Amino acid sequence: MSSQEQPLDDFHAALRAARVWDIDLPRFDPAGAPADPVALFHEWFVHAAKAGQPEPHTMSLATADAAGRPDVRTLMLHDADARGWHFASHSTSAKGRQLAARPQAALGFYWPAVARQVRIRGRVTDLGAEAGRAELAVRSRGALAAALTGRQSEVLGSVEELAEASAAAWERAGTEPDAPAPTWTAYVLEPAEVEFFQGDAQRRHVRLRYHRAADGGPWQRQLLWP
C-alpha cells in the first residue's frame, strides 16, 4: 500500500465507523410549540446548553457573492430577540461585502448532544455604527483586539505579520478599552422562515417550520416530512 493510499483508507474507515445520535434523544411535540419561533429557540438553546452541548452559540452563516456562488462560515450568535438573530463582523470582510450586495442570508445551528438543528432564513440589516461600538463595548479584551487587528479576509503575507499586528492590537485593547474599530459592524437577521429539527433514532425526525408572509403577518406553522 502506498503512502498516499493509507490516509484515504483511514478516512473511509473512520467515515464508515462514525455513528449518529448514539444517545438518549429528547422528544419534541410540535403541538405544544409556542407561536413565536424566537421563544422556541430560547427554549432549545437553554436545553442544549444544559445538556452539555459545547459552544451552543456557534452557528453557520451562509451568504452569496456577486456571482451568486454560496459561501458559509462559522461564527458566534450575539443575541436572539424580537428583531431577529444578531451577530457581528467587519463590513470589509468577505461576508460583510456579500451582505452589503445581497442582504439575504441563512443561519444554521447544530447541537448533536440533543440531535437538534435550527435553520433560519431572512434579510440581514446593518444596525449602524453606534450599535457596532456598543456591541464591542460589552465584549472581552480579546474580542476588541481581534476587531482592532482588522483586515479580515485579506491575503496574509506570513504568520509573523499576523502575530505582530495581533500583539499591537492586544496592547491597545488593554490600554484603550474604548478604542474604535470603524469597520466592526453589528448585524441582525430578520427571519422570514425558521425550521426546528428534532432527530429520531428510527429516522422519524420531527421538522417544524415557521414562516410568515412578506407583509410581516402572524407566523404560520407547518410540519415537514423528514
Coordinates of all heavy atoms in Angstrom, one line a residue, residues 90 92-94 97 149-158 161-162 183:
H90 N -16.6 42.4 10.5 CA -16.1 43.6 9.8 C -16.9 43.8 8.5 O -17.2 42.8 7.7 CB -14.6 43.5 9.4 CG -13.7 43.6 10.6 ND1 -13.4 44.8 11.2 CD2 -13.1 42.6 11.3 CE1 -12.6 44.5 12.2 NE2 -12.4 43.2 12.3
T92 N -15.8 45.1 6.0 CA -14.9 44.9 4.8 C -14.5 43.5 4.6 O -13.8 43.1 3.7 CB -13.6 45.7 5.1 OG1 -13.2 45.4 6.4 CG2 -13.9 47.2 5.0
S93 N -15.0 42.5 5.5 CA -14.7 41.1 5.3 C -15.5 40.6 4.1 O -16.4 41.2 3.6 CB -15.1 40.4 6.6 OG -16.5 40.4 6.7
A94 N -15.2 39.3 3.8 CA -15.9 38.7 2.7 C -17.4 38.7 2.9 O -18.3 39.0 2.1 CB -15.4 37.3 2.4
R97 N -19.0 42.3 2.8 CA -19.2 42.7 1.4 C -20.3 42.0 0.7 O -21.1 42.6 0.0 CB -17.9 42.5 0.6 CG -16.7 43.3 1.1 CD -15.5 43.4 0.1 NE -15.1 42.0 -0.3 CZ -14.2 41.3 0.4 NH1 -13.6 41.9 1.4 NH2 -13.8 40.1 0.0
T149 N -7.4 44.3 15.1 CA -6.4 43.7 14.2 C -6.9 43.9 12.8 O -6.2 44.2 11.9 CB -6.2 42.2 14.5 OG1 -5.8 42.0 15.8 CG2 -5.3 41.6 13.5
G150 N -8.2 43.7 12.6 CA -8.8 44.0 11.3 C -8.3 43.2 10.1 O -7.7 42.1 10.3
R151 N -8.5 43.7 8.9 CA -8.1 43.2 7.7 C -8.6 41.8 7.4 O -8.0 41.0 6.7 CB -6.5 43.2 7.6 CG -5.9 44.6 7.8 CD -4.4 44.6 7.6 NE -4.0 44.2 6.2 CZ -2.8 44.2 5.8 NH1 -1.8 44.4 6.6 NH2 -2.5 43.9 4.5
Q152 N -9.8 41.5 8.0 CA -10.3 40.1 7.9 C -10.6 39.8 6.4 O -11.1 40.6 5.6 CB -11.6 40.0 8.7 CG -12.2 38.6 8.8 CD -13.4 38.6 9.7 OE1 -14.4 39.3 9.4 NE2 -13.4 37.9 10.8
S153 N -10.2 38.6 6.0 CA -10.4 38.0 4.6 C -9.3 38.5 3.6 O -9.3 38.1 2.5 CB -11.8 38.3 4.1 OG -12.8 37.8 4.9
E154 N -8.5 39.5 4.0 CA -7.4 39.9 3.1 C -6.3 38.9 3.1 O -6.2 38.1 4.0 CB -6.8 41.3 3.6 CG -7.8 42.4 3.5 CD -7.2 43.8 3.9 OE1 -5.9 43.8 3.9 OE2 -7.9 44.7 4.3
V155 N -5.5 38.9 2.1 CA -4.4 38.0 1.9 C -3.3 38.3 3.0 O -2.9 39.5 3.1 CB -3.8 38.0 0.5 CG1 -2.5 37.2 0.4 CG2 -4.8 37.6 -0.5
L156 N -2.8 37.3 3.7 CA -1.9 37.5 4.8 C -0.5 37.1 4.2 O -0.3 36.0 3.7 CB -2.2 36.7 6.0 CG -1.3 36.6 7.2 CD1 -1.1 38.0 7.8 CD2 -1.7 35.6 8.2
G157 N 0.5 37.9 4.5 CA 1.8 37.6 4.0 C 2.5 36.5 4.8 O 3.2 35.7 4.2
S158 N 2.4 36.5 6.1 CA 3.0 35.5 6.9 C 2.4 35.4 8.3 O 1.7 36.4 8.7 CB 4.5 35.8 7.0 OG 4.7 37.0 7.8
E161 N 3.6 38.2 10.5 CA 2.9 39.5 10.3 C 1.6 39.6 11.1 O 1.3 40.6 11.8 CB 2.5 39.7 8.8 CG 1.9 41.0 8.5 CD 1.5 41.1 7.0 OE1 1.9 40.2 6.2 OE2 0.9 42.1 6.6
L162 N 0.9 38.5 11.2 CA -0.3 38.4 12.0 C 0.0 38.5 13.5 O -0.6 39.2 14.2 CB -1.0 37.1 11.7 CG -2.2 36.8 12.7 CD1 -3.3 37.8 12.6 CD2 -2.8 35.4 12.4
T183 N -14.7 49.5 11.1 CA -15.4 48.6 10.2 C -16.2 47.5 11.0 O -16.9 46.7 10.3 CB -14.4 47.9 9.3 OG1 -13.4 47.2 10.0 CG2 -13.6 49.0 8.4

